[in-house]
Amino acid sequence: MSDALCLLTAAEAARLIRRKDLSPVELVRAALDRAERLQPVLNCFITLCPERALDEARAAEAALMRGESPGMLHGLPLTVKDLVNTAGVRTTFGTVPFRDNVPAEDAVAVARLRGQGAILIGKTTTPEFGAKSMTDSPLFGHTRNPWDLDRTCGGSSGGAAAATAAGITALAIATDGGGSTRIPAACNGVVGFKQSMGAVPHSQALDAIGNQTYVTPTTRTVADTRLMMAAMSGPHPSDPWSLGAPATDYLPAAVPPESLRGKRVRYCAAPPGKPVDADVRRAFEAALERLARLGAEVEPFDGAGLDVEPIWRVINHTVWRARYLPLIEQAPDAYSASLRRQIESAAQFSAVEYQEAMFARTAIYRKVQALFLQADLLAMPTISRTALPLGTDIFDSIPIDGREYGDIRAHWYPWTMLFNLTGNPAISVPCGRGQDGMPIGLQLVGRCHADLDLLFAAEAFERAGPPLEKPIVPDRLPG
């Protein structure tokens, strides 16, 4: 019975709690029990906080019994990626030197979810400072994919996606600086949403003006993503991009039935010269057919000039070098060789090259917005092949249809970094499985600040597909 509770959607669980048909204590205890049972298998948590979570669940239940009006997430268990500050619960950034770091306050997104009644049960794994698309670190080892324990769960929000896919909680806070929510969502068969710049305030961004990183939801359904956005979104003085963001009601009574009818969907499988695995291409073509059946006008677009990885790398790695090089110099042996190599690589970029990359970012932003003069949505595969083998590093080659490619960022997820730079909302939703049994993701992209329209379209796509599949996770590692 406890596992069945964990597999409820957040929207379903919230309704049961409001009707007093489900106890917050029962739901939180079920999530904690499943987390503790699967942690030796998946290794998706850095910290669990059962005592605090159960205390909050008991308080939530008592409030209901007193007749107090519940928040929209009242009594629902929540996980938070270990890059995001949580008051009184350690936030390690996936690193050994910060293993005992305990923030004094919640990040704004966390505070808002907790303010609506969500209950933190634990912090999910991330590579050091979220610096790669696989989730491993000297602090905790490797996080495994619940669909295949010998595959990576992706990254950098790999722990969030793995825990969500495995049915531990329905709600997770992730982050996304170049695809870190959408990549693991595709790898694990869940929903990963990167909202428009400023839709959810990012109170930990050091460069709030030039920011390209986002605090984001990860869920199993698009409806639950809307629920999280309803709680997380809105202006806050810590984030200048949030101050002009339009107010949005993410919780209408029902998704409009015509969400995709007449919508102009422009698609591109890959930027010119980039590979796409045959399984992914087949799933993508089937997804386009589903969009067309729902009434969308589906036409291709030319992806020329949208290969942004070199630009993203100059901007992103110089930011990382400024932030993390002083820490690495203090204790170089405490950090992985992979992280050190990434930080060292940014030494080659001059201040002029950084500014040129920022000019290029603006040009690409304008190019993408011009696409939306003839489109309501863009569609492409989230990643070019299914999850890579466990232990793959960002500097390894990537096999796609029997050929090795030498740059994982440029060849595995060429479409995710683009929308970090432009600020457009982008969502990864499951759209099938490969012959290896692993999930495949479709990325849909909307106009800036048209987040709700994008979520409605994604939900219509989701509902028109087969029932949600769930991985069967063993209680112990083989052997």
Side-chain angles (χ1 to χ4, degrees), residues 159-325:
T164 305
I168 293 172
T169 66
L171 305 177
I173 288 183
T175 68
D176 195 314
S180 285
T181 296
R182 291 159 287 155
I183 296 162
C187 287
N188 293 273
V190 296
V191 177
F193 181 52
K194 184 208 72 65
Q195 64 278 356
S196 292
M197 181 71 77
V200 174
H202 192 343
S203 55
Q204 290 178 240
L206 293 185
D207 179 5
I209 305 298
N211 181 43
Q212 66 183 51
T213 64
Y214 304 71
V215 180
T216 58
T218 289
T219 65
R220 289 193 294 272
T221 68
V222 181
D224 282 356
T225 294
R226 289 195 291 113
L227 185 62
M228 287 190 75
M229 287 297 296
M232 297 166 72
S233 62
H236 189 274
S238 67
D239 186 341
W241 295 107
S242 76
L243 299 181
T248 303
D249 177 11
Y250 286 98
L251 291 178
V255 175
E258 303 298 306
S259 294
L260 277 163
R261 184 157 301 280
K263 295 291 186 184
R264 298 167 299 171
V265 177
R266 301 296 179 258
Y267 68 89
C268 184
K274 301 298 182 186
V276 180
D277 177 83
D279 280 358
V280 171
R281 192 176 291 276
R282 280 190 291 269
F284 181 55
E285 290 171 353
L288 295 175
E289 291 174 3
R290 191 193 307 179
L291 291 168
R293 288 196 302 273
L294 290 167
E297 300 172 3
V298 179
E299 295 181 9
F301 74 88
D302 182 359
L306 295 179
D307 180 13
V308 302
E309 194 276 336
I311 298 164
W312 179 91
R313 184 164 16 99
V314 172
I315 297 170
N316 190 77
H317 281 29
T318 50
V319 170
W320 285 355
R321 186 171 177 85
R323 291 186 65 181
Y324 307 134
L325 182 60

Side-chain angles (χ1 to χ4, degrees), residues 291-363:
L291 291 168
R293 288 196 302 273
L294 290 167
E297 300 172 3
V298 179
E299 295 181 9
F301 74 88
D302 182 359
L306 295 179
D307 180 13
V308 302
E309 194 276 336
I311 298 164
W312 179 91
R313 184 164 16 99
V314 172
I315 297 170
N316 190 77
H317 281 29
T318 50
V319 170
W320 285 355
R321 186 171 177 85
R323 291 186 65 181
Y324 307 134
L325 182 60
L327 298 172
I328 291 172
E329 288 177 336
Q330 291 174 19
D333 293 339
Y335 297 95
S336 69
S338 178
L339 177 67
R340 296 197 307 269
R341 183 175 171 184
Q342 290 187 79
I343 301 305
E344 289 163 3
S345 72
Q348 66 184 297
F349 303 129
S350 68
V352 169
E353 288 172 312
Y354 172 82
Q355 192 57 63
E356 288 173 344
M358 294 298 284
F359 295 158
R361 177 183 183 178
T362 298

